[in-house]
Amino acid sequence: MKNIAALALISTIAIVSCNKKETAKITKVDPKTGKTITVEVPADSVAKVEENPAIKDSAGVYTQTFKLEKGKTYPLTTYQRDTKTMTDPQGKTLNGTSESTDEMSFTVNDIKGNVYDITLNLIAKRSSQTAQGKTIIVDTKLPIPKEDDLKMIWNINRALTGNKLNMKMDTKGNVISITGFDAVYSKVANSVGSLIKDKNQKESVVASLKESFNEKVLRDQFNKNLTIIPKKGAKIGEKWTNSENADAQGNIKVTSHYILKSVGNGVAEISVTGGIPKKVNKQNQGEVTHSLSTELTQNGTITFDQNTGWIKNQNISVKTTQIESISNGKETQSMTSVSNSSVMVNPSAK
C-alpha cells in the first residue's frame, strides 16, 4: 500500500510539473505609471526572437536595422480614410468620406555587403468618395468606370500599377536610389493618349505626374515610414521628436512625438502623438477682418518586426479642425471644417 501511495504521489508531482507553464520576460512601459517594467508572460505567447535581431538592445538602448532575406517579399500597403464635416454660417452641415489605398511590396533580389537590391512592386490603387448618399470608386482591380470624368483617373492609376522599380537600400534603412521611372512615365503617356488628343494637355498630365511621383518623393516617403527609431537608438520609455513642413512655404510644421513603448515578443511598439498647435492668421481689409484658425492632433501606434526591422502595422488617428471667419466688427460669420482621419500601414482590418 505504501508503494502504491508513493507511486500516486510521484504521478501527482509529475502531472503538476507538466502542467506548470513556462514563462518569458518582456520589457514595456506601464500604461498606468509610465514607468519601465519587466513582466512575465506565457512562453507560448512569445514569438521567437532571433539571437541577433534587427531591433536589438545594447546596454538598454535599442537600435533599428534591417535583416531581410534574399528571395522574400515584404508588404507596404498604405490606407487612409477621411471623414469631413463642414458647417456653414447658418448651421447647415455637409458630410463626406474619402478613402485611398496604395498597395506595394518589396522583393529582395540580392544582398551585397550591407546593401539590398530590391524590386519595388506597384500592385494596385483604389480611391473612393462618398457624399450626399452617392459613392464613386476608382479601383485598378475593377473595370474602367463608366463616368467620363473618372476614366482619366482610372487610366493613369492603371498605368502606374503593374510596374516595377529598382531600389537600393542599406541595412540601416537609408534608401540609396530608386530607378525605373521613365518606363512608368511612358506607359502613363500612352494610356492617356486615347483620352487626350491635344499634345500639350498630354504633356501637362505627364509633367504633373513627374512632380508627385519621382525618386525624391518616394525616397523621402520610405525614409520616413520604414525607419522610426533614431539612429543613436532609444531606451524603453524614451521620447524623441520630429518636425516636417505642412505647407510649401514652411510656415506651418507638423510635430510628431514618439515614445518607444516596448520591445519583446518579436515586436517593437512605438506610440505617436503631437500635431499642429492651434494657429490663427488674420488679415484686415478696411473694417473687415478675415481669420483662419487651424489645429491638428494625432495619436496612434507603429509596430515593427523585431527580427527583420520591417514595419508590421501603423494605425494613427488624425483630427484636423479649421475655422474660417469674416467679421465687420458688428457681426461674424464662420465656416467650420472638421476632418477625422485614419492613417494606416499594412492594415489588418479597416
Side-chain angles (χ1 to χ4, degrees):
M1 291 295 292
K2 289 182 179 180
N3 289 339
I4 294 174
L7 285 171
L9 179 60
I10 291 171
S11 299
T12 303
I13 292 172
I15 291 170
V16 171
S17 298
C18 290
N19 286 340
K20 184 180 179 181
K21 291 187 176 181
E22 293 183 2
T23 60
K25 293 181 179 181
I26 62 172
T27 304
K28 60 185 291 185
V29 174
D30 187 333
K32 293 182 179 179
T33 65
K35 296 181 179 180
T36 302
I37 58 173
T38 300
V39 297
E40 286 194 355
V41 295
D44 57 7
S45 72
V46 177
K48 181 183 177 183
V49 178
E50 302 295 337
E51 186 176 339
N52 187 26
I55 299 176
K56 60 184 178 181
D57 137 57
S58 175
V61 176
Y62 289 87
T63 54
Q64 180 181 7
T65 58
F66 288 86
K67 290 184 178 293
L68 309 180
E69 293 184 39
K70 182 177 178 179
K72 281 203 170 182
T73 297
Y74 300 85
L76 187 73
T77 296
T78 58
Y79 168 80
Q80 182 165 336
R81 185 176 191 272
D82 302 305
T83 301
K84 181 176 285 189
T85 300
M86 299 183 68
T87 307
D88 67 14
Q90 287 71 43
K92 184 179 179 180
T93 61
L94 180 66
N95 298 311
T97 300
S98 63
E99 295 180 281
S100 63
T101 302
D102 281 286
E103 189 178 348
M104 297 178 283
S105 68
F106 297 70
T107 301
V108 180
N109 305 313
D110 202 3
I111 308 168
K112 292 182 179 179
N114 67 338
V115 176
Y116 294 105
D117 178 85
I118 296 172
T119 294
L120 170 54
N121 307 293
L122 306 174
I123 300 171
K125 292 176 74 69
R126 183 185 189 278
S127 63
S128 70
Q129 274 128 18
T130 301
Q132 296 179 319
K134 182 181 179 182
T135 300
I136 57 174
I137 299 173
V138 178
D139 190 335
T140 57
K141 292 182 177 180
L142 297 177
I144 187 169
K146 296 179 180 179
E147 298 87 347
D148 289 338
D149 56 340
L150 300 180
K151 288 181 179 179
M152 176 67 69
I153 302 172
W154 186 90
N155 267 278
I156 293 174
N157 287 349
R158 187 65 179 267
L160 277 171
T161 56
N163 294 299
K164 299 179 184 297
L165 300 175
N166 182 261
M167 186 172 91
K168 297 287 194 301
M169 182 183 82
D170 68 22
T171 53
K172 292 184 178 180
N174 300 307
V175 178
I176 299 166
S177 65
I178 306 175
T179 57
F181 289 94
D182 287 341
V184 180
Y185 298 150
S186 297
K187 187 177 174 183
V188 171
N190 292 333
S191 73
V192 299
S194 59
L195 298 174
I196 302 177
K197 302 303 180 184
D198 184 84
K199 181 182 177 182
N200 291 331
Q201 287 184 358
K202 187 195 298 185
E203 289 177 351
S204 177
V205 170
V206 176
S208 177
L209 173 65
K210 288 181 178 181
E211 288 182 6
S212 60
F213 182 74
N214 57 54
E215 182 180 17
K216 183 182 183 306
V217 169
L218 287 190
R219 184 193 287 155
D220 290 346
Q221 178 186 340
F222 297 149
N223 281 335
K224 183 174 68 174
N225 288 343
L226 295 180
T227 309
I228 300 294
I229 297 175
K231 299 297 182 186
K232 68 178 182 62
K235 295 181 179 180
I236 300 294
E238 184 174 342
K239 182 178 180 179
W240 65 96
T241 299
N242 287 334
S243 293
E244 57 184 307
N245 293 335
D247 63 343
Q249 295 74 31
N251 296 325
I252 302 175
K253 294 185 180 295
V254 178
T255 301
S256 299
H257 305 294
Y258 302 95
I259 295 177
L260 183 59
K261 299 289 286 186
S262 65
V263 179
N265 199 14
V267 176
E269 181 179 342
I270 297 167
S271 68
V272 185
T273 56
I276 302 173
K278 187 173 182 180
K279 186 179 180 67
V280 181
N281 290 322
K282 290 186 177 182
Q283 291 182 342
N284 296 318
Q285 292 182 339
E287 296 181 352
V288 177
T289 300
H290 176 264
S291 66
L292 180 65
S293 74
T294 304
E295 184 178 13
L296 182 149
T297 58
Q298 61 177 342
N299 182 60
T301 58
I302 308 172
T303 58
F304 291 87
D305 185 288
Q306 189 179 352
N307 291 315
T308 65
W310 195 258
I311 184 168
K312 287 176 66 70
N313 176 264
Q314 169 186 296
N315 192 347
I316 298 176
S317 298
V318 180
K319 182 177 181 179
T320 307
T321 304
Q322 191 174 72
I323 303 174
E324 186 174 8
S325 301
I326 297 177
S327 174
N328 60 8
K330 296 179 180 179
E331 60 178 0
T332 301
Q333 291 189 332
S334 298
M335 175 81 76
T336 303
S337 173
V338 178
S339 176
N340 288 288
S341 306
S342 294
V343 183
M344 302 182 186
V345 175
N346 294 338
S348 55
K350 296 174 184 178

